[in-house]
Amino acid sequence: MRIEADPDLCQGHAMCELEAPDVFEVPPKGKVRVLDAAPSGDQREQVAAAVRYCPTGALKLLET
Ligand code: SF4
């Protein structure tokens, strides 16, 4: 799987970092940084939750 983050949509809520701290980092008042754009399968649940709970729909999970 691959992660895509749209910086134009991200508003820095950091829900993604809460759900998957190994994959997303959000600096204070900043925008999301994807630490691992191709996370391993065992991160799937965390990453899927991050995508689901992002309030602005800025994250996409693509199957590769
Ligand atoms: S949850 Fe969504 S809006 Fe919030 S920091 Fe993550 S990507 Fe950005």
Side-chain angles (χ1 to χ4, degrees):
M1 67 182 149
R2 280 197 66 79
I3 307 291
E4 272 184 15
D6 184 338
D8 292 335
L9 290 177
C10 177
Q11 293 179 4
H13 297 287
M15 294 301 292
C16 51
E17 184 177 335
L18 271 181
E19 297 294 339
D22 293 337
V23 178
F24 303 103
E25 182 178 74
V26 186
K29 297 191 182 164
K31 297 201 173 191
V32 65
R33 216 159 61 84
V34 180
L35 303 175
D36 183 0
S40 60
D42 56 359
Q43 308 244 50
R44 175 175 297 275
E45 251 178 60
Q46 290 180 334
V47 170
V51 171
R52 190 161 56 239
Y53 294 127
C54 172
T56 65
L59 301 176
K60 256 194 224 159
L61 177 58
L62 308 169
E63 299 302 337
T64 50

Short mmCIF file of all heavy atoms in Angstrom, two decimals:
data_model
loop_
_atom_site.label_atom_id
_atom_site.label_comp_id
_atom_site.label_asym_id
_atom_site.label_seq_id
_atom_site.Cartn_x
_atom_site.Cartn_y
_atom_site.Cartn_z
N MET A 1 0.84 -1.20 0.00
CA MET A 1 0.00 0.00 0.00
C MET A 1 0.88 1.25 0.00
O MET A 1 2.03 1.21 0.42
CB MET A 1 -0.94 -0.01 1.21
CG MET A 1 -0.24 0.12 2.55
SD MET A 1 -1.40 0.05 3.94
CE MET A 1 -0.35 -0.70 5.17
N ARG A 2 0.29 2.30 -0.46
CA ARG A 2 0.98 3.60 -0.46
C ARG A 2 0.07 4.67 0.14
O ARG A 2 -1.14 4.60 0.02
CB ARG A 2 1.31 4.02 -1.90
CG ARG A 2 2.54 3.36 -2.48
CD ARG A 2 3.02 4.12 -3.70
NE ARG A 2 3.50 5.46 -3.36
CZ ARG A 2 4.69 5.70 -2.83
NH1 ARG A 2 5.52 4.71 -2.59
NH2 ARG A 2 5.06 6.93 -2.55
N ILE A 3 0.71 5.64 0.77
CA ILE A 3 -0.04 6.73 1.39
C ILE A 3 0.18 8.00 0.58
O ILE A 3 1.32 8.31 0.21
CB ILE A 3 0.50 7.03 2.80
CG1 ILE A 3 0.54 5.79 3.65
CG2 ILE A 3 -0.31 8.14 3.46
CD1 ILE A 3 -0.78 5.29 4.01
N GLU A 4 -0.89 8.72 0.35
CA GLU A 4 -0.77 10.05 -0.24
C GLU A 4 -1.41 11.06 0.69
O GLU A 4 -2.51 10.82 1.20
CB GLU A 4 -1.48 10.10 -1.60
CG GLU A 4 -0.59 9.69 -2.74
CD GLU A 4 -1.31 9.84 -4.07
OE1 GLU A 4 -2.36 10.51 -4.14
OE2 GLU A 4 -0.79 9.26 -5.02
N ALA A 5 -0.76 12.17 0.90
CA ALA A 5 -1.32 13.24 1.73
C ALA A 5 -1.41 14.50 0.88
O ALA A 5 -0.47 14.85 0.17
CB ALA A 5 -0.43 13.50 2.94
N ASP A 6 -2.54 15.16 0.95
CA ASP A 6 -2.74 16.40 0.19
C ASP A 6 -2.52 17.59 1.13
O ASP A 6 -3.36 17.88 1.99
CB ASP A 6 -4.16 16.41 -0.37
CG ASP A 6 -4.40 17.63 -1.27
OD1 ASP A 6 -3.67 18.64 -1.13
OD2 ASP A 6 -5.32 17.57 -2.10
N PRO A 7 -1.41 18.27 0.98
CA PRO A 7 -1.10 19.37 1.90
C PRO A 7 -2.09 20.52 1.78
O PRO A 7 -2.26 21.30 2.73
CB PRO A 7 0.31 19.81 1.48
CG PRO A 7 0.51 19.27 0.11
CD PRO A 7 -0.39 18.09 -0.06
N ASP A 8 -2.78 20.63 0.64
CA ASP A 8 -3.76 21.71 0.50
C ASP A 8 -4.99 21.46 1.37
O ASP A 8 -5.67 22.40 1.78
CB ASP A 8 -4.20 21.86 -0.96
CG ASP A 8 -3.06 22.38 -1.83
OD1 ASP A 8 -2.16 23.04 -1.28
OD2 ASP A 8 -3.06 22.10 -3.03
N LEU A 9 -5.29 20.18 1.62
CA LEU A 9 -6.46 19.84 2.44
C LEU A 9 -6.12 19.74 3.92
O LEU A 9 -6.97 19.95 4.77
CB LEU A 9 -7.06 18.51 1.97
CG LEU A 9 -7.75 18.53 0.61
CD1 LEU A 9 -8.24 17.13 0.25
CD2 LEU A 9 -8.92 19.50 0.61
N CYS A 10 -4.88 19.38 4.22
CA CYS A 10 -4.50 19.15 5.62
C CYS A 10 -4.62 20.45 6.43
O CYS A 10 -4.16 21.50 6.01
CB CYS A 10 -3.06 18.65 5.68
SG CYS A 10 -2.47 18.44 7.37
N GLN A 11 -5.25 20.31 7.60
CA GLN A 11 -5.37 21.48 8.49
C GLN A 11 -4.66 21.24 9.82
O GLN A 11 -4.92 21.94 10.80
CB GLN A 11 -6.85 21.80 8.73
CG GLN A 11 -7.53 22.30 7.47
CD GLN A 11 -9.02 22.59 7.70
OE1 GLN A 11 -9.52 22.50 8.80
NE2 GLN A 11 -9.70 22.96 6.62
N GLY A 12 -3.82 20.23 9.86
CA GLY A 12 -2.97 20.03 11.03
C GLY A 12 -3.68 19.53 12.27
O GLY A 12 -3.22 19.77 13.38
N HIS A 13 -4.79 18.80 12.10
CA HIS A 13 -5.52 18.32 13.28
C HIS A 13 -4.77 17.22 14.03
O HIS A 13 -5.08 16.95 15.19
CB HIS A 13 -6.88 17.76 12.87
CG HIS A 13 -7.79 18.78 12.26
ND1 HIS A 13 -8.39 19.76 12.99
CD2 HIS A 13 -8.17 18.97 10.97
CE1 HIS A 13 -9.13 20.51 12.18
NE2 HIS A 13 -9.00 20.06 10.96
N ALA A 14 -3.86 16.56 13.33
CA ALA A 14 -2.99 15.52 13.93
C ALA A 14 -3.74 14.27 14.38
O ALA A 14 -3.21 13.49 15.16
CB ALA A 14 -2.16 16.08 15.08
N MET A 15 -4.96 14.07 13.89
CA MET A 15 -5.63 12.80 14.17
C MET A 15 -4.81 11.65 13.60
O MET A 15 -4.73 10.57 14.18
CB MET A 15 -7.03 12.77 13.53
CG MET A 15 -7.99 13.76 14.11
SD MET A 15 -8.25 13.54 15.86
CE MET A 15 -9.12 11.97 15.85
N CYS A 16 -4.20 11.89 12.46
CA CYS A 16 -3.43 10.83 11.80
C CYS A 16 -2.25 10.41 12.66
O CYS A 16 -1.95 9.22 12.78
CB CYS A 16 -2.97 11.31 10.42
SG CYS A 16 -2.13 12.90 10.46
N GLU A 17 -1.59 11.37 13.26
CA GLU A 17 -0.43 11.04 14.10
C GLU A 17 -0.87 10.24 15.33
O GLU A 17 -0.18 9.33 15.76
CB GLU A 17 0.30 12.32 14.51
CG GLU A 17 1.56 12.02 15.29
CD GLU A 17 2.33 13.28 15.66
OE1 GLU A 17 2.21 14.29 14.97
OE2 GLU A 17 3.06 13.21 16.65
N LEU A 18 -2.03 10.59 15.87
CA LEU A 18 -2.56 9.84 17.01
C LEU A 18 -2.81 8.38 16.63
O LEU A 18 -2.52 7.47 17.40
CB LEU A 18 -3.90 10.44 17.46
CG LEU A 18 -3.88 11.55 18.48
CD1 LEU A 18 -5.32 11.97 18.77
CD2 LEU A 18 -3.21 11.07 19.76
N GLU A 19 -3.37 8.18 15.45
CA GLU A 19 -3.73 6.82 15.02
C GLU A 19 -2.53 6.01 14.57
O GLU A 19 -2.48 4.80 14.80
CB GLU A 19 -4.77 6.89 13.88
CG GLU A 19 -6.09 7.53 14.26
CD GLU A 19 -6.86 6.71 15.30
OE1 GLU A 19 -6.62 5.51 15.44
OE2 GLU A 19 -7.71 7.31 15.98
N ALA A 20 -1.60 6.65 13.88
CA ALA A 20 -0.47 5.91 13.31
C ALA A 20 0.81 6.74 13.45
O ALA A 20 1.31 7.31 12.48
CB ALA A 20 -0.75 5.58 11.83
N PRO A 21 1.34 6.80 14.67
CA PRO A 21 2.49 7.69 14.92
C PRO A 21 3.77 7.28 14.19
O PRO A 21 4.67 8.10 14.03
CB PRO A 21 2.68 7.60 16.45
CG PRO A 21 1.91 6.41 16.89
CD PRO A 21 0.84 6.15 15.88
N ASP A 22 3.84 6.02 13.74
CA ASP A 22 5.04 5.62 12.99
C ASP A 22 5.00 6.08 11.55
O ASP A 22 6.00 6.04 10.84
CB ASP A 22 5.18 4.09 13.00
CG ASP A 22 5.47 3.57 14.39
OD1 ASP A 22 5.98 4.35 15.22
OD2 ASP A 22 5.18 2.38 14.64
N VAL A 23 3.83 6.49 11.10
CA VAL A 23 3.65 6.80 9.68
C VAL A 23 3.46 8.30 9.43
O VAL A 23 3.88 8.82 8.41
CB VAL A 23 2.45 6.00 9.11
CG1 VAL A 23 2.20 6.35 7.65
CG2 VAL A 23 2.69 4.50 9.27
N PHE A 24 2.82 8.98 10.41
CA PHE A 24 2.53 10.40 10.22
C PHE A 24 3.12 11.23 11.35
O PHE A 24 3.11 10.82 12.50
CB PHE A 24 1.01 10.64 10.20
CG PHE A 24 0.29 9.85 9.16
CD1 PHE A 24 -0.43 8.72 9.50
CD2 PHE A 24 0.34 10.23 7.83
CE1 PHE A 24 -1.10 7.98 8.53
CE2 PHE A 24 -0.32 9.51 6.86
CZ PHE A 24 -1.04 8.38 7.21
N GLU A 25 3.59 12.40 10.96
CA GLU A 25 4.08 13.35 11.97
C GLU A 25 3.48 14.71 11.62
O GLU A 25 3.48 15.11 10.46
CB GLU A 25 5.60 13.43 11.90
CG GLU A 25 6.20 14.34 12.93
CD GLU A 25 7.72 14.31 12.82
OE1 GLU A 25 8.25 14.91 11.86
OE2 GLU A 25 8.35 13.68 13.67
N VAL A 26 2.96 15.38 12.64
CA VAL A 26 2.37 16.70 12.40
C VAL A 26 3.01 17.68 13.39
O VAL A 26 2.77 17.62 14.59
CB VAL A 26 0.84 16.68 12.60
CG1 VAL A 26 0.25 18.02 12.22
CG2 VAL A 26 0.21 15.56 11.79
N PRO A 27 3.83 18.58 12.91
CA PRO A 27 4.44 19.56 13.81
C PRO A 27 3.39 20.53 14.33
O PRO A 27 2.36 20.72 13.67
CB PRO A 27 5.46 20.28 12.92
CG PRO A 27 5.07 19.98 11.52
CD PRO A 27 4.22 18.75 11.51
N PRO A 28 3.63 21.14 15.48
CA PRO A 28 2.67 22.10 16.01
C PRO A 28 2.39 23.19 14.97
O PRO A 28 3.31 23.76 14.41
CB PRO A 28 3.39 22.70 17.23
CG PRO A 28 4.44 21.71 17.58
CD PRO A 28 4.80 20.97 16.32
N LYS A 29 1.11 23.42 14.72
CA LYS A 29 0.66 24.41 13.74
C LYS A 29 1.17 24.14 12.32
O LYS A 29 1.19 25.04 11.48
CB LYS A 29 1.07 25.82 14.16
CG LYS A 29 0.43 26.22 15.46
CD LYS A 29 0.62 27.68 15.75
CE LYS A 29 0.00 28.04 17.09
NZ LYS A 29 0.44 29.30 17.60
N GLY A 30 1.63 22.92 12.08
CA GLY A 30 2.13 22.60 10.74
C GLY A 30 1.21 21.64 10.02
O GLY A 30 0.09 21.40 10.44
N LYS A 31 1.71 21.11 8.92
CA LYS A 31 0.95 20.17 8.12
C LYS A 31 1.59 18.80 8.21
O LYS A 31 2.76 18.67 8.58
CB LYS A 31 0.90 20.64 6.68
CG LYS A 31 0.17 21.96 6.59
CD LYS A 31 -0.36 22.24 5.22
CE LYS A 31 -1.22 23.49 5.28
NZ LYS A 31 -1.98 23.69 4.08
N VAL A 32 0.80 17.82 7.84
CA VAL A 32 1.24 16.43 7.99
C VAL A 32 2.49 16.14 7.16
O VAL A 32 2.66 16.65 6.06
CB VAL A 32 0.09 15.47 7.58
CG1 VAL A 32 -0.24 15.60 6.11
CG2 VAL A 32 0.44 14.04 7.95
N ARG A 33 3.36 15.35 7.76
CA ARG A 33 4.51 14.83 7.05
C ARG A 33 4.38 13.31 7.08
O ARG A 33 4.18 12.71 8.15
CB ARG A 33 5.79 15.24 7.79
CG ARG A 33 6.94 15.57 6.88
CD ARG A 33 7.96 16.43 7.60
NE ARG A 33 8.54 15.78 8.76
CZ ARG A 33 9.57 14.94 8.71
NH1 ARG A 33 10.15 14.65 7.58
NH2 ARG A 33 10.03 14.40 9.82
N VAL A 34 4.46 12.70 5.91
CA VAL A 34 4.37 11.25 5.85
C VAL A 34 5.77 10.68 6.08
O VAL A 34 6.68 10.93 5.30
CB VAL A 34 3.80 10.79 4.50
CG1 VAL A 34 3.72 9.27 4.46
CG2 VAL A 34 2.43 11.40 4.26
N LEU A 35 5.94 9.96 7.19
CA LEU A 35 7.26 9.43 7.53
C LEU A 35 7.57 8.18 6.72
O LEU A 35 8.72 7.87 6.45
CB LEU A 35 7.31 9.09 9.02
CG LEU A 35 7.01 10.25 9.98
CD1 LEU A 35 6.98 9.73 11.42
CD2 LEU A 35 8.04 11.35 9.84
N ASP A 36 6.50 7.45 6.39
CA ASP A 36 6.69 6.19 5.69
C ASP A 36 5.56 6.07 4.67
O ASP A 36 4.44 5.71 5.01
CB ASP A 36 6.64 5.04 6.71
CG ASP A 36 6.90 3.70 6.07
OD1 ASP A 36 7.10 3.66 4.84
OD2 ASP A 36 6.89 2.70 6.80
N ALA A 37 5.86 6.40 3.41
CA ALA A 37 4.81 6.43 2.39
C ALA A 37 4.40 5.05 1.92
O ALA A 37 3.38 4.89 1.25
CB ALA A 37 5.28 7.26 1.20
N ALA A 38 5.19 4.04 2.27
CA ALA A 38 4.85 2.67 1.87
C ALA A 38 4.96 1.77 3.10
O ALA A 38 5.87 0.94 3.20
CB ALA A 38 5.78 2.21 0.76
N PRO A 39 4.03 1.93 4.04
CA PRO A 39 4.13 1.17 5.29
C PRO A 39 3.89 -0.32 5.09
O PRO A 39 3.23 -0.73 4.13
CB PRO A 39 3.05 1.79 6.17
CG PRO A 39 2.16 2.53 5.27
CD PRO A 39 2.89 2.83 4.02
N SER A 40 4.43 -1.10 6.00
CA SER A 40 4.28 -2.55 5.89
C SER A 40 2.84 -2.95 6.24
O SER A 40 2.09 -2.20 6.86
CB SER A 40 5.26 -3.23 6.82
OG SER A 40 4.99 -2.84 8.15
N GLY A 41 2.49 -4.16 5.84
CA GLY A 41 1.12 -4.65 6.01
C GLY A 41 0.66 -4.64 7.46
O GLY A 41 -0.53 -4.47 7.73
N ASP A 42 1.59 -4.83 8.39
CA ASP A 42 1.14 -4.89 9.79
C ASP A 42 0.74 -3.52 10.33
O ASP A 42 0.25 -3.41 11.45
CB ASP A 42 2.17 -5.58 10.69
CG ASP A 42 3.53 -4.93 10.61
OD1 ASP A 42 3.67 -3.94 9.85
OD2 ASP A 42 4.45 -5.39 11.31
N GLN A 43 0.94 -2.48 9.54
CA GLN A 43 0.49 -1.14 9.94
C GLN A 43 -0.88 -0.80 9.36
O GLN A 43 -1.39 0.31 9.57
CB GLN A 43 1.47 -0.08 9.40
CG GLN A 43 2.90 -0.36 9.75
CD GLN A 43 3.44 0.72 10.64
OE1 GLN A 43 2.82 1.07 11.64
NE2 GLN A 43 4.56 1.26 10.27
N ARG A 44 -1.42 -1.73 8.60
CA ARG A 44 -2.62 -1.42 7.81
C ARG A 44 -3.76 -0.86 8.67
O ARG A 44 -4.41 0.12 8.30
CB ARG A 44 -3.09 -2.66 7.06
CG ARG A 44 -4.40 -2.47 6.31
CD ARG A 44 -4.74 -3.68 5.50
NE ARG A 44 -3.73 -3.93 4.48
CZ ARG A 44 -3.73 -3.35 3.28
NH1 ARG A 44 -4.70 -2.54 2.95
NH2 ARG A 44 -2.79 -3.61 2.41
N GLU A 45 -4.02 -1.51 9.80
CA GLU A 45 -5.17 -1.08 10.60
C GLU A 45 -4.99 0.35 11.11
O GLU A 45 -5.92 1.16 11.08
CB GLU A 45 -5.38 -2.02 11.77
CG GLU A 45 -6.61 -2.86 11.59
CD GLU A 45 -6.82 -3.84 12.71
OE1 GLU A 45 -6.97 -3.37 13.85
OE2 GLU A 45 -6.83 -5.03 12.43
N GLN A 46 -3.79 0.65 11.57
CA GLN A 46 -3.51 2.00 12.08
C GLN A 46 -3.64 3.03 10.97
O GLN A 46 -4.21 4.10 11.16
CB GLN A 46 -2.10 2.06 12.65
CG GLN A 46 -1.92 1.29 13.93
CD GLN A 46 -0.50 1.39 14.44
OE1 GLN A 46 0.42 1.60 13.67
NE2 GLN A 46 -0.34 1.26 15.73
N VAL A 47 -3.08 2.68 9.81
CA VAL A 47 -3.10 3.63 8.70
C VAL A 47 -4.53 3.83 8.20
O VAL A 47 -4.96 4.96 7.95
CB VAL A 47 -2.20 3.13 7.55
CG1 VAL A 47 -2.40 3.96 6.30
CG2 VAL A 47 -0.74 3.16 7.99
N ALA A 48 -5.29 2.74 8.13
CA ALA A 48 -6.68 2.84 7.68
C ALA A 48 -7.47 3.72 8.65
O ALA A 48 -8.32 4.53 8.23
CB ALA A 48 -7.31 1.47 7.56
N ALA A 49 -7.21 3.60 9.94
CA ALA A 49 -7.90 4.44 10.93
C ALA A 49 -7.51 5.89 10.74
O ALA A 49 -8.36 6.79 10.82
CB ALA A 49 -7.56 3.97 12.34
N ALA A 50 -6.25 6.15 10.48
CA ALA A 50 -5.79 7.53 10.26
C ALA A 50 -6.51 8.14 9.06
O ALA A 50 -6.97 9.29 9.11
CB ALA A 50 -4.28 7.55 10.05
N VAL A 51 -6.63 7.38 7.99
CA VAL A 51 -7.30 7.88 6.79
C VAL A 51 -8.77 8.15 7.10
O VAL A 51 -9.34 9.18 6.73
CB VAL A 51 -7.17 6.86 5.64
CG1 VAL A 51 -8.03 7.26 4.45
CG2 VAL A 51 -5.70 6.72 5.22
N ARG A 52 -9.38 7.22 7.84
CA ARG A 52 -10.82 7.32 8.14
C ARG A 52 -11.10 8.53 9.04
O ARG A 52 -12.10 9.22 8.87
CB ARG A 52 -11.26 6.03 8.82
CG ARG A 52 -12.75 5.89 9.00
CD ARG A 52 -13.16 4.44 9.25
NE ARG A 52 -12.49 3.85 10.39
CZ ARG A 52 -11.72 2.77 10.36
NH1 ARG A 52 -11.49 2.16 9.22
NH2 ARG A 52 -11.15 2.30 11.44
N TYR A 53 -10.24 8.77 9.99
CA TYR A 53 -10.54 9.82 10.98
C TYR A 53 -9.98 11.18 10.61
O TYR A 53 -10.23 12.15 11.32
CB TYR A 53 -10.03 9.40 12.36
CG TYR A 53 -10.78 8.21 12.90
CD1 TYR A 53 -10.11 7.08 13.34
CD2 TYR A 53 -12.17 8.23 12.97
CE1 TYR A 53 -10.81 5.98 13.82
CE2 TYR A 53 -12.88 7.14 13.45
CZ TYR A 53 -12.19 6.02 13.87
OH TYR A 53 -12.88 4.94 14.34
N CYS A 54 -9.24 11.28 9.51
CA CYS A 54 -8.79 12.60 9.09
C CYS A 54 -10.01 13.46 8.76
O CYS A 54 -10.77 13.12 7.86
CB CYS A 54 -7.88 12.50 7.87
SG CYS A 54 -7.49 14.13 7.19
N PRO A 55 -10.22 14.55 9.48
CA PRO A 55 -11.47 15.31 9.31
C PRO A 55 -11.56 16.04 7.97
O PRO A 55 -12.65 16.47 7.60
CB PRO A 55 -11.45 16.31 10.48
CG PRO A 55 -10.08 16.32 11.00
CD PRO A 55 -9.38 15.07 10.57
N THR A 56 -10.47 16.18 7.27
CA THR A 56 -10.54 16.91 6.01
C THR A 56 -10.37 16.01 4.79
O THR A 56 -10.34 16.50 3.66
CB THR A 56 -9.45 18.00 5.95
OG1 THR A 56 -8.17 17.36 5.94
CG2 THR A 56 -9.54 18.95 7.14
N GLY A 57 -10.23 14.73 5.00
CA GLY A 57 -10.07 13.82 3.87
C GLY A 57 -8.77 14.04 3.12
O GLY A 57 -8.69 13.83 1.90
N ALA A 58 -7.73 14.45 3.85
CA ALA A 58 -6.46 14.77 3.18
C ALA A 58 -5.60 13.55 2.89
O ALA A 58 -4.62 13.66 2.16
CB ALA A 58 -5.66 15.75 4.06
N LEU A 59 -5.98 12.41 3.44
CA LEU A 59 -5.14 11.22 3.30
C LEU A 59 -5.81 10.20 2.38
O LEU A 59 -7.02 10.02 2.42
CB LEU A 59 -4.89 10.58 4.66
CG LEU A 59 -4.21 11.47 5.68
CD1 LEU A 59 -4.12 10.77 7.02
CD2 LEU A 59 -2.83 11.89 5.20
N LYS A 60 -4.98 9.54 1.60
CA LYS A 60 -5.46 8.48 0.72
C LYS A 60 -4.61 7.26 0.91
O LYS A 60 -3.38 7.35 1.02
CB LYS A 60 -5.34 8.92 -0.74
CG LYS A 60 -6.65 9.33 -1.34
CD LYS A 60 -6.48 9.40 -2.85
CE LYS A 60 -7.15 10.67 -3.33
NZ LYS A 60 -6.67 11.10 -4.61
N LEU A 61 -5.25 6.11 0.91
CA LEU A 61 -4.55 4.84 0.99
C LEU A 61 -4.71 4.15 -0.36
O LEU A 61 -5.83 3.87 -0.78
CB LEU A 61 -5.19 4.01 2.11
CG LEU A 61 -4.68 2.62 2.35
CD1 LEU A 61 -3.20 2.61 2.64
CD2 LEU A 61 -5.43 1.99 3.51
N LEU A 62 -3.62 3.92 -1.03
CA LEU A 62 -3.67 3.30 -2.35
C LEU A 62 -3.10 1.89 -2.26
O LEU A 62 -2.06 1.67 -1.64
CB LEU A 62 -2.83 4.11 -3.35
CG LEU A 62 -3.13 5.60 -3.42
CD1 LEU A 62 -2.06 6.32 -4.22
CD2 LEU A 62 -4.49 5.82 -4.04
N GLU A 63 -3.79 0.95 -2.87
CA GLU A 63 -3.27 -0.41 -2.90
C GLU A 63 -2.25 -0.51 -4.02
O GLU A 63 -2.46 0.01 -5.11
CB GLU A 63 -4.40 -1.41 -3.12
CG GLU A 63 -5.45 -1.39 -2.02
CD GLU A 63 -4.88 -1.68 -0.62
OE1 GLU A 63 -3.82 -2.31 -0.53
OE2 GLU A 63 -5.50 -1.28 0.36
N THR A 64 -1.13 -1.16 -3.76
CA THR A 64 -0.09 -1.27 -4.80
C THR A 64 0.06 -2.72 -5.21
O THR A 64 -0.40 -3.62 -4.54
CB THR A 64 1.26 -0.75 -4.29
OG1 THR A 64 1.54 -1.34 -3.03
CG2 THR A 64 1.21 0.75 -4.11
S1 SF4 B 1 -5.60 14.19 10.36
FE1 SF4 B 1 -5.75 15.00 8.28
S2 SF4 B 1 -5.93 17.20 8.53
FE2 SF4 B 1 -5.14 16.35 10.42
S3 SF4 B 1 -2.91 16.48 10.26
FE3 SF4 B 1 -3.52 14.45 9.58
S4 SF4 B 1 -3.75 14.71 7.37
FE4 SF4 B 1 -3.76 16.73 8.24
#
